[in-house]
């Protein structure tokens, strides 16, 4: 009998020991590997930034007026609206100007980046005489040449109305009439837009627009008197398809001069209803398979993200959803197109050095809150699309990129000029004194039949309640072994304001990549890159002749090197053009001109590459689509420095200035 008891006792102890070992082992598996201080210090030495305010201190404000259905969660509803873009609005040949959307006074302001030497006066874009009232608020601005006359216009998108195009006229900046407001869609619609991307969707050679609305179309979210059936919340925490529609607007015509205009038309939606009505916070476009058409990524809150392969023809947009492949050890939510996470931002870059765009997606990754995972979708095959699948696997955990807090916009770029890719991310939700994550976790367990009713959501009071209000903005740099480390604290860029949008540009055209961050209900900042290392670089402003379709010239210029012939007439950014560096010791390096990707942040339409020391000239393969929709590619040899490269309709490559 005693032997049986002893055996049972030993088995019980063995089970207890195994349980402890499993718990400890699981903790080690779930914990991020540590990085020595010495490694972090060495890594941080490659970077240096100077922080400069982009706007004034502003009037303290933390909340907007909202519809009665949302009044008890007005802080939640008021959590977006800060945005920033960096662009060449003045026409000085470098992106020394900023567009800042400030929710503290719902202003949209254009002006020179502080310390850039820009001469542009500060301009406030006002919708007058178009209909506009207190039930509307700006959410973002997207500079671009929308009528293809060579001047930079600005698209502003809102909650409460459809976007407005502010068309640039020949009137000098700062004078009345320099920008003329124009409705993007007629008649005006009640939309609640949170993301806009610009791309030649149908391959006709002109920039089209992808408009992603968040709340259902028609919902008067900011109207204190609105009582509508559209005033709802998400129908599910993991599969909500009752949000605003995605609208694809095709470019139709443009006119410059004293009465500039741009006309877009909306064909029947190429997206399935279920895909079109996700709660989208960020959009991204990129030519993943090299066929000259931009594929589309929709980062959705409260439901699966979608990657859509572009199969369009001129005038007829068409997309087909593709999904990732699930492996034996892959959780369902780590399969592209099947996740249940909260997509908040998206960016493209080559993280594994194979020349194919990889995708980084921001999610909510709050420890002791909602610990999902950011996504680092890495390409796995040269033939990316295979039937209805796409060969992307998530490697965020092994790269050290899985966790950063409540994350929003994200951008990737080479801030050290050494050929490596760094990642900067905006974080934070609402700032207050009392942690309300317990109430939010209760909400996450609510029955889906109740979730879409605003009354079922817990109260969030401005100034009192805090949900991830003290996250800091990470700056990820890469160790020699390939893993990323957050060095923001060592660089002094670990701002704990609640931030939203990020924009990248080499503002000074000195080969050092800068960035700007838009903060919600706080001052926004520009981070000037002041690193001491001045390594060689290649900067590309890829442009094409402004205007309509032109017949190609009879003689095609040699593509072995760029001709020095100056451009005749105005030029416009070659949206969708790509560059591939062919030489050097740093592997394959590529870039595509898609400045408006992500959430609330628009980068300059330029490409910047770090070069090997002692580089004399660089062979570059360029690909582009002309205004007639014809695809071209060719090679040029360019010396280090900045170049404005004209991509012509006859397939020749000309250097138009630097």
């Amino acid at each position: 009998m005693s032997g049986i008891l002893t055996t049972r006792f030993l088995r019980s102890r063995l089970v207890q020991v195994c349980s402890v070992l499993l718990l400890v082992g699981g903790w080690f598996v779930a914990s991020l590997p540590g990085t020595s201080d010495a490694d972090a210090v060495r890594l941080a030495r490659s970077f240096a930034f100077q922080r400069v305010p982009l706007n004034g201190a502003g009037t303290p404000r933390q909340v907007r007026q909202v519809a009665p259905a949302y009044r008890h969660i007005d802080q939640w509803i008021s959590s977006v609206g800060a945005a920033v873009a960096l662009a060449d609005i003045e026409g000085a040949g470098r992106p020394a100007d900023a567009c800042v959307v400030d929710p503290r006074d719902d202003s949209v302001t254009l002006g020179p980046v502080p310390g850039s030497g820009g001469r542009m006066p500060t301009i406030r874009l006002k919708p007058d005489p178009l209909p506009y009232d207190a039930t509307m608020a700006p959410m973002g601005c997207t500079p671009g040449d929308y009528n293809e006359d060579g001047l930079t216009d600005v698209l502003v998108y809102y909650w409460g109305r459809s976007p407005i195009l502010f068309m640039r006229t020949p009137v000098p900046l700062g004078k009345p009439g320099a920008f003329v407001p124009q409705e993007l869609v007629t008649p005006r619609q009640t939309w609640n837009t949170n993301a806009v991307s610009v791309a030649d969707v149908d391959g006709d050679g002109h920039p089209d627009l992808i408009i992603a609305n968040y709340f259902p179309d028609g919902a008067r979210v900011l109207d204190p008197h609105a009582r509508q059936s559209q005033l709802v919340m998400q129908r599910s925490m993991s599969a909500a398809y009752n949000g605003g529609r995605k609208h694809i607007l095709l470019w139709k015509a443009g006119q410059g001069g004293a009465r500039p205009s741009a006309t877009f038309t909306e064909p029947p939606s190429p997206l399935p209803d279920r895909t079109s009505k996700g709660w989208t916070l960020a959009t991204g476009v990129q030519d993943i398979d090299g066929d000259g058409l931009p594929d589309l990524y929709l980062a959705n809150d409260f439901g699966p993200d979608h990657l859509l392969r572009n199969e369009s023809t001129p005038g007829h947009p068409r997309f087909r959803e593709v999904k990732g492949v699930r492996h034996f050890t892959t959780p369902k939510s780590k399969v592209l197109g099947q996740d249940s996470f909260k997509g908040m931002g998206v960016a493209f870059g080559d993280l594994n050095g194979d020349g194919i765009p990889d995708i980084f997606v921001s999610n909510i990754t709050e420890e002791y809150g909602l610990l999902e995972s950011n996504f680092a979708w890495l390409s796995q095959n040269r033939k990316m699309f295979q039937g209805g699948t796409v060969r992307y696997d998530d490697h965020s955990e092994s790269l050290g990129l899985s966790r950063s807090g409540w994350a929003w916009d994200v951008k990737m770029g080479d801030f050290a000029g050494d050929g490596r890719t760094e990642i900067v991310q905006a974080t934070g939700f609402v700032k207050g004194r009392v942690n309300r994550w317990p109430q939010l976790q209760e909400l996450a367990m609510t029955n889906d039949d109740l979730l879409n009713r605003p009354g079922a959501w817990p109260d969030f009071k401005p100034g009192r309640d805090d949900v991830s209000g003290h996250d800091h903005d990470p700056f990820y740099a890469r160790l020699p072994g390939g893993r990323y480390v957050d060095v923001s604290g060592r660089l002094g860029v670990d701002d704990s304001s609640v931030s939203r949008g990020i924009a990248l540009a080499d503002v000074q055209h000195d080969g050092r990549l800068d960035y700007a961050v838009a903060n919600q209900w706080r001052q926004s900042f520009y981070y000037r890159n002041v690193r001491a290392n001045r390594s060689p670089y290649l900067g590309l402003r890829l442009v094409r002749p402004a205007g309509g379709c032109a017949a190609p010239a009879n003689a095609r210029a040699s593509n072995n090197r760029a001709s020095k012939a100056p451009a005749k007439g105005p030029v416009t950014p070659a949206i969708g053009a790509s560059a591939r560096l062919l030489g050097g010791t740093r592997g394959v390096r590529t870039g595509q001109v898609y400045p408006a990707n992500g959430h609330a942040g628009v980068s300059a339409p330029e490409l910047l590459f770090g070069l090997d020391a002692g580089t004399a000239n660089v062979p570059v393969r360029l690909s582009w689509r002309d205004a007639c929709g014809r695809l071209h590619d060719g090679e040029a040899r360019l010396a280090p420095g900045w170049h404005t490269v004209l991509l012509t309709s006859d397939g020749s490559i000309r250097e138009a200035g630097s």
Side-chain angles (χ1 to χ4, degrees):
M1 186 70 177
S2 61
I4 295 174
L5 292 175
T6 301
T7 301
R8 288 177 177 174
F9 175 78
L10 291 175
R11 286 177 179 174
S12 174
R13 286 299 185 192
L14 181 61
V15 169
Q16 292 173 359
V17 170
C18 289
S19 299
V20 171
L21 290 175
L22 285 172
L23 287 172
V24 173
W27 182 86
F28 276 108
V29 170
S31 300
L32 295 176
T35 302
S36 71
D37 288 342
D39 286 341
V41 168
R42 281 194 295 269
L43 203 56
R45 286 175 184 157
S46 300
F47 312 97
F49 295 94
Q50 179 185 50
R51 191 175 84 155
V52 182
L54 262 181
N55 50 5
T59 303
R61 185 184 175 203
Q62 294 180 319
V63 70
R64 292 191 176 95
Q65 65 174 14
V66 298
Y70 299 133
R71 197 160 290 152
H72 70 293
I73 54 171
D74 55 0
Q75 189 182 23
W76 183 290
I77 301 299
S78 302
S79 62
V80 293
V84 64
L86 295 174
D88 180 12
I89 296 169
E90 182 183 5
R94 59 189 178 92
D97 309 311
C99 179
V100 180
V101 180
D102 192 337
R104 293 173 297 180
D105 57 2
D106 285 336
S107 62
V108 182
T109 305
L110 307 178
V113 174
S116 67
R119 297 166 296 175
M120 176 182 171
T122 300
I123 301 170
R124 186 161 177 169
L125 297 179
K126 298 182 179 180
D128 304 337
L130 300 181
Y132 190 82
D133 57 33
T135 68
M136 307 166 187
M139 293 288 137
C141 58
T142 307
D145 184 3
Y146 296 107
N147 57 351
E148 299 189 329
D149 66 348
L151 301 177
T152 302
D153 315 302
V154 181
L155 180 147
V156 180
Y157 53 93
Y158 304 84
W159 276 12
R161 71 165 353 267
S162 44
I164 294 175
L165 286 170
F166 290 86
M167 306 302 298
R168 180 80 167 88
T169 74
V171 174
L173 291 172
K175 302 291 185 181
F179 287 93
V180 177
Q182 170 200 316
E183 294 286 6
L184 176 65
V185 297
T186 304
R188 170 177 58 90
Q189 302 294 308
T190 301
W191 289 353
N192 301 283
T193 306
N194 265 132
V196 169
S197 284
V198 182
D200 180 5
V201 169
D202 63 344
D204 68 347
H206 302 283
D208 307 311
L209 296 170
I210 299 163
I211 311 293
N213 297 333
Y214 189 73
F215 283 93
D217 292 8
R220 300 196 301 273
V221 176
L222 303 181
D223 185 347
H225 306 293
R227 298 183 183 277
Q228 302 174 279
S229 60
Q230 294 99 321
L231 297 173
V232 297
M233 299 299 284
Q234 294 80 7
R235 192 168 288 153
S236 167
M237 271 284 170
S238 59
Y241 302 105
N242 63 325
R245 287 192 175 276
K246 267 38 77 185
H247 297 268
I248 295 179
L249 306 180
L250 301 182
W251 190 92
K252 185 177 181 181
Q255 174 181 305
R259 299 172 64 87
S261 65
T263 305
F264 292 81
T265 182
E266 183 172 8
S269 177
L271 306 179
D273 193 65
R274 184 179 173 94
T275 302
S276 178
K277 295 178 70 176
W279 294 73
T280 304
L281 283 172
T283 57
V285 286
Q286 199 82 173
D287 182 3
I288 290 173
D289 58 352
D291 65 354
L293 292 172
D295 306 297
L296 173 61
Y297 193 100
L298 300 176
N300 289 326
D301 203 2
F302 296 94
D305 293 351
H306 299 292
L307 179 61
L308 302 158
R309 184 181 186 182
N310 194 336
E311 299 176 343
S312 304
T313 56
H316 303 282
R318 180 187 175 194
F319 288 94
R320 180 159 59 103
E321 184 175 357
V322 292
K323 295 184 178 182
V325 177
R326 187 176 184 183
H327 308 294
F328 179 73
T329 58
T330 309
K332 182 179 178 181
S333 276
K334 290 257 187 170
V335 179
L336 199 156
Q338 300 187 55
D339 71 282
S340 59
F341 295 166
K342 314 297 179 289
M344 320 282 278
V346 58
F348 297 89
D350 188 3
L351 296 176
N352 58 2
D354 64 355
I356 300 172
D358 303 309
I359 311 172
F360 188 97
V361 179
S362 295
N363 289 305
I364 299 178
T365 64
E366 196 69 58
E367 294 186 1
Y368 307 107
L370 183 58
L371 186 56
E372 298 176 338
S373 172
N374 295 320
F375 293 136
W377 302 117
L378 300 191
S379 56
Q380 303 297 308
N381 196 305
R382 300 298 303 177
K383 188 177 180 181
M384 289 300 296
F385 296 119
Q386 299 178 11
T389 65
V390 64
R391 306 300 296 188
Y392 276 119
D393 289 343
D394 174 54
H395 289 261
S396 58
E397 191 74 23
S398 62
L399 289 173
L401 297 170
S402 60
R403 311 172 199 182
S404 52
W406 190 305
W408 294 84
D409 204 12
V410 60
K411 293 292 187 290
M412 295 194 276
D414 181 1
F415 292 93
D418 59 1
R420 293 188 178 94
T421 298
E422 286 77 49
I423 301 171
V424 61
Q425 207 173 17
T427 61
F429 187 46
V430 293
K431 189 179 290 290
R433 304 183 309 276
V434 182
N435 180 15
R436 293 301 184 192
W437 262 112
Q439 286 81 1
L440 193 54
Q441 288 169 327
E442 282 188 7
L443 176 70
M445 295 183 287
T446 299
N447 190 297
D448 281 356
D449 290 336
L450 298 175
L451 190 66
N452 71 321
R453 304 177 187 180
W457 288 55
D459 291 357
F460 286 93
K461 298 299 182 185
R464 182 195 71 182
D465 298 333
D466 182 281
V467 179
S468 298
H470 297 84
D471 291 342
H472 73 273
D473 293 344
F475 186 100
Y476 289 109
R478 202 163 195 173
L479 292 165
R483 191 171 180 83
Y484 279 89
V485 176
D486 177 15
V487 295
S488 59
R490 298 182 183 277
L491 303 179
V493 299
D494 55 336
D495 191 357
S496 59
S497 299
V498 172
S499 53
R500 292 294 175 264
I502 302 175
L504 307 184
D506 180 0
V507 170
Q508 302 282 1
H509 270 190
D510 59 3
R512 294 180 287 192
L513 188 62
D514 314 293
Y515 70 102
V517 179
N519 290 326
Q520 185 77 12
W521 309 121
R522 295 289 190 277
Q523 195 169 48
S524 297
F525 292 95
Y526 161 61
Y527 292 86
R528 181 181 177 183
N529 193 332
V530 293
R531 75 171 193 271
N533 176 26
R534 299 295 299 275
S535 55
Y537 65 89
L538 179 67
L540 298 175
R541 294 181 68 232
L542 301 179
V543 300
R544 62 176 179 81
C549 176
N554 291 329
R556 175 186 170 104
S558 170
N559 278 338
N560 291 329
R561 63 180 186 178
S563 165
K564 289 289 186 179
K568 295 180 180 179
V571 297
T572 189
I575 300 298
S578 66
R580 184 184 184 95
L581 274 59
L582 302 176
T585 61
R586 298 179 179 179
V588 177
R589 280 172 294 160
T590 62
Q592 299 182 24
V593 184
Y594 289 110
N597 280 336
H599 172 86
V602 178
S603 300
E606 301 179 340
L607 303 177
L608 180 63
F609 302 94
L611 301 176
D612 296 325
T615 301
N617 55 59
V618 186
V620 183
R621 174 165 290 279
L622 301 171
S623 300
W624 71 97
R625 195 181 289 275
D626 65 24
C628 301
R630 296 181 294 255
L631 277 171
H632 303 275
D633 67 87
E635 292 183 21
R637 299 187 73 88
L638 299 170
W642 270 100
H643 300 266
T644 299
V645 178
L646 180 66
L647 306 174
T648 69
S649 296
D650 64 7
S652 62
I653 300 171
R654 300 172 187 169
E655 189 171 350
S658 60

